[in-house]
Amino acid sequence: GWLGILPFGLNETMNNGLDGVGACCPSDCQGECCMNTPSLRRKGPTACGWRDNKKDVQFVEAIIKWTTENSCVDPEKVFAMGFSNGGIFVNYLACHSSHLIRGFAPVSGNPGFKDNSCSISRPISYVSTCGTADDVAYCQYLIGQTTELLTTKNNCSGAGPNGAAMTYARSATTSCKVWDCPQKNFMEVCMVEGLAHDVSGHLRPDNTSYLRPGSDLDAAEYAFQKFSLLVDGSMLFWGQPTAEELRYKKSMWPFPHHEDHPYIRKDSNHPNTL
């Protein structure tokens, strides 16, 4: 299975590092107020952000070190994903922390990424998502530059003329450019037609998102689908059903019910979960 770690950057004065889940909200907006209102996005001294790339990289390194020492995670299968300011930082990580992180998925981050001195120490995988009408990060104008830079450093090239990327229509509103890489890693950038500064496939909980077609790529789901290509069949329930389980199922009617993992099955149509 996946282990998710969701860190926030610090506020402007960088004094909220131990303030818990309400660290990014004003003192008068904690709990449900912090989680479910626009106050989390308020621009001001209390707003969290990734402001110091070098120090933030050290923070990420410390998180990964602590996690690998205190849980049963595989340090060779670490991935990073971020939105907006977090997406900018994920782009920075892609060219400065490839020794720790294997795959990167920035979403709607305006990278402004011109650090040609950085290097990729081992092959990385990368899938970036951006709306063509992003009205905050304006990632649509720099996403190509960033991807081309990382693609070159990653020794990948497209199957088109002169190594150009191939473009595929994923849906009526989403198209993705794809580069081929030599070691089963991947480089991809997906553009969502008409999408503003939002996570593609999702609405903001504060109702500031415009309604969108169902054909928009689900950026989070797609990133994890791509990352699954890199875990070598070690995901939870990989290999199920087995041949023996299918023979057992075929031996009776109605088919046998399964009572395992009720926390997963609770939203299914299984009669024992209704």
Side-chain angles (χ1 to χ4, degrees), residues 60 64 78-80 93 97-104 122-124:
V60 170
I64 295 173
V78 178
F79 310 102
L93 288 172
S97 297
S98 58
H99 60 293
L100 290 174
I101 303 172
R102 191 172 178 185
F104 304 84
R122 65 172 179 174
I124 65 168

Side-chain angles (χ1 to χ4, degrees), residues 135-147:
D135 55 338
V136 175
Y138 301 102
C139 54
Q140 63 270 38
Y141 300 116
L142 287 173
I143 192 171
Q145 171 190 316
T146 302
T147 309

Side-chain angles (χ1 to χ4, degrees), residues 173-222:
T173 52
T174 305
S175 62
C176 300
K177 287 186 176 181
V178 179
W179 289 260
D180 295 327
C181 300
Q183 299 192 39
K184 296 185 178 180
N185 51 318
F186 53 83
M187 296 290 297
E188 190 167 339
V189 55
C190 296
M191 302 298 299
V192 184
E193 185 66 32
L195 180 70
H197 191 61
D198 288 300
V199 177
S200 181
H202 296 266
L203 299 176
R204 293 177 182 266
D206 59 10
N207 292 326
T208 60
S209 301
Y210 295 98
L211 293 178
R212 293 286 305 166
S215 57
D216 283 2
L217 183 76
D218 187 318
E221 180 180 59
Y222 189 61

Side-chain angles (χ1 to χ4, degrees), residues 107-273:
V107 179
S108 297
N110 177 13
F113 193 67
K114 299 178 181 179
D115 185 4
N116 291 315
S117 65
C118 69
S119 61
I120 294 176
S121 59
R122 65 172 179 174
I124 65 168
S125 289
Y126 180 89
V127 53
S128 184
T129 309
C130 173
T132 64
D134 193 307
D135 55 338
V136 175
Y138 301 102
C139 54
Q140 63 270 38
Y141 300 116
L142 287 173
I143 192 171
Q145 171 190 316
T146 302
T147 309
E148 290 284 356
L149 173 65
L150 293 175
T151 297
T152 300
K153 291 180 177 292
N154 208 24
N155 296 317
C156 303
S157 62
N162 300 317
M166 298 294 290
T167 301
Y168 299 93
R170 297 293 183 190
S171 71
T173 52
T174 305
S175 62
C176 300
K177 287 186 176 181
V178 179
W179 289 260
D180 295 327
C181 300
Q183 299 192 39
K184 296 185 178 180
N185 51 318
F186 53 83
M187 296 290 297
E188 190 167 339
V189 55
C190 296
M191 302 298 299
V192 184
E193 185 66 32
L195 180 70
H197 191 61
D198 288 300
V199 177
S200 181
H202 296 266
L203 299 176
R204 293 177 182 266
D206 59 10
N207 292 326
T208 60
S209 301
Y210 295 98
L211 293 178
R212 293 286 305 166
S215 57
D216 283 2
L217 183 76
D218 187 318
E221 180 180 59
Y222 189 61
F224 276 90
Q225 289 174 346
K226 297 295 291 188
F227 290 159
S228 73
L229 296 171
L230 306 172
V231 300
D232 303 322
S234 60
M235 292 183 295
L236 194 64
F237 310 124
W238 183 271
Q240 289 186 292
T242 65
E244 183 179 353
E245 288 172 332
L246 289 175
R247 284 193 296 269
Y248 176 69
K249 175 184 177 181
K250 194 174 181 180
S251 69
M252 61 179 65
W253 181 263
F255 294 140
H257 288 169
H258 303 283
E259 311 300 333
D260 59 323
H261 302 284
Y263 60 96
I264 294 176
R265 299 180 181 276
K266 64 182 178 67
D267 294 323
S268 72
N269 292 321
H270 192 296
N272 290 344
T273 63

Side-chain angles (χ1 to χ4, degrees), residues 5-11 16-17 20-25 34-35 40 47-51 56 59 63 85 89:
I5 301 175
L6 310 175
F8 287 92
L10 295 176
N11 59 21
N16 64 332
V21 295
C24 299
C25 290
C34 180
M35 292 185 288
L40 184 63
C48 290
W50 303 96
R51 295 181 170 88
D56 289 336
F59 175 46
I63 290 175
N85 178 243
F89 183 48

